[in-house]
Amino acid sequence: MAMFTNVIVRRPSKSLVDGITSAPELGKPDYELALKQHDDYIAALKECGVEVTVLPALEEFPDSCFVEDTAVITRKGAIIDNPGAGTRNGEAKAMEPTIREFFDDDRIAYIEAPGTLEGGDVMMVGDHFFVGRSARTNEEGIRQFIEILEGWGLTGSEVPLEYVLHLKTGVNYIEDNNMLVSGEFIEKSDFAEYNKIVIPEDEAYAANCIWVNGTVIVPEGYPTVLEKIQEAGYKTITVDTSEYRKLDGGLSCLSLRF
């Protein structure tokens, strides 16, 4: 399995409090607490042995700390996304100069309108990429994405979504043939060949964990999920992401890992 050496994150902006949410009942994020949680997230990543590039906040884009939706980075190159949420279209363009610090022009590709694609809908399993067809990622975006992958000798497949915002809201690969699954993904035939660690409904948010070089970073406050991952043999680190949950954001959303 490939090990990660680099991670890109972006500091949350004060405008974070006006970010997109499907759960207004959770309240607006506390900006100061969100900053502290971001510090803890960066510290956890560094503990996993990666170099972390920390980009400055973009006040004009309230959701810009969720850098995962701006690009998909593969072992062959980077694909600059075209986010399906209109207010986020400028975020991918803002990420491009940083991507260019790591990849030459011939290793950068683009999702072009009318195609839309957000990285939260893309799950890497070795050299195969599952892509969720969602409200944010459309058929044309997936077609372009798979065409780019195949040009690089990689593969991709579409996974229709029924209820969740993004694919990785409910399913995440943690290497070693193990997959965290919740809700609609528990019975999906797309993932039949993997060992499924089933997430209980009352801890569904914690399906969004990230594997970084043998360690699984788990959101704080979900004891059943933490125990299941530890029982599967993984070292774990917990990080509180309560303020990002208020904006439909989880652990994977906050970084680009490659």
Side-chain angles (χ1 to χ4, degrees):
M1 76 187 59
M3 301 290 273
F4 294 129
T5 54
N6 288 286
V7 176
I8 299 169
V9 302
R10 186 180 292 283
R11 294 297 273 167
S13 60
K14 290 178 181 175
S15 60
L16 177 78
V17 297
D18 298 316
I20 302 168
T21 182
S22 65
E25 69 277 6
L26 296 178
K28 288 186 176 288
D30 178 319
Y31 173 65
E32 294 301 328
L33 183 53
L35 275 181
K36 181 191 180 302
Q37 291 177 355
H38 204 252
D39 289 339
D40 293 344
Y41 181 75
I42 292 168
L45 289 166
K46 288 180 176 177
E47 197 175 323
C48 298
V50 294
E51 290 285 326
V52 182
T53 299
V54 182
L55 303 179
L58 292 175
E59 288 298 335
E60 63 270 39
F61 297 111
D63 297 283
S64 55
C65 60
F66 301 125
V67 292
E68 180 178 59
D69 292 324
T70 66
V72 175
I73 303 183
T74 77
R75 69 179 181 83
K76 293 293 189 75
I79 300 168
I80 306 293
D81 296 341
N82 185 31
T87 56
R88 304 193 61 193
N89 284 344
E91 294 177 35
K93 188 175 287 292
M95 180 58 69
E96 189 174 343
T98 303
I99 297 294
R100 289 187 177 280
E101 293 176 17
F102 295 94
F103 296 95
D104 296 331
D105 285 356
D106 62 348
R107 296 180 65 204
I108 300 176
Y110 301 84
I111 303 298
E112 307 280 4
T116 63
L117 186 130
E118 295 189 0
D121 278 320
V122 179
M123 180 173 64
M124 179 177 71
V125 179
D127 282 345
H128 185 79
F129 292 76
F130 292 100
V131 195
R133 186 169 171 182
S134 69
R136 303 282 186 85
T137 295
N138 66 16
E139 182 179 10
E140 173 59 18
I142 294 172
R143 186 198 66 76
Q144 291 180 30
F145 182 72
I146 292 175
E147 184 175 51
I148 293 164
L149 291 176
E150 290 176 347
W152 288 344
L154 308 172
T155 58
S157 60
E158 178 182 317
V159 181
L161 307 187
E162 297 169 55
Y163 305 111
V164 295
L165 173 67
H166 282 139
L167 179 72
K168 284 187 292 201
T169 303
V171 57
N172 285 270
Y173 187 60
I174 54 171
E175 302 296 326
D176 301 312
N177 209 51
N178 293 323
M179 208 168 261
L180 303 174
V181 294
S182 66
E184 65 187 87
F185 301 103
I186 295 171
E187 300 299 334
K188 272 204 189 294
S189 59
D190 308 73
F191 310 125
E193 67 187 270
Y194 301 99
N195 175 43
K196 296 176 182 177
I197 299 173
V198 177
I199 306 301
E201 188 176 346
D202 63 343
E203 294 193 12
Y205 174 76
N208 186 255
C209 297
I210 53 174
W211 177 95
V212 185
N213 299 343
T215 295
V216 178
I217 303 178
V218 183
E220 191 175 279
Y222 301 90
T224 303
V225 174
L226 181 64
E227 184 179 4
K228 286 189 173 203
I229 292 170
Q230 290 172 339
E231 285 175 352
Y234 294 95
K235 178 186 174 187
T236 57
I237 302 173
T238 59
V239 175
D240 188 1
T241 53
S242 63
E243 300 315 291
Y244 301 98
R245 184 184 182 186
K246 294 173 181 177
L247 301 176
D248 306 319
L251 284 163
S252 76
C253 312
L254 289 164
S255 60
L256 289 168
R257 305 164 297 281
F258 58 103

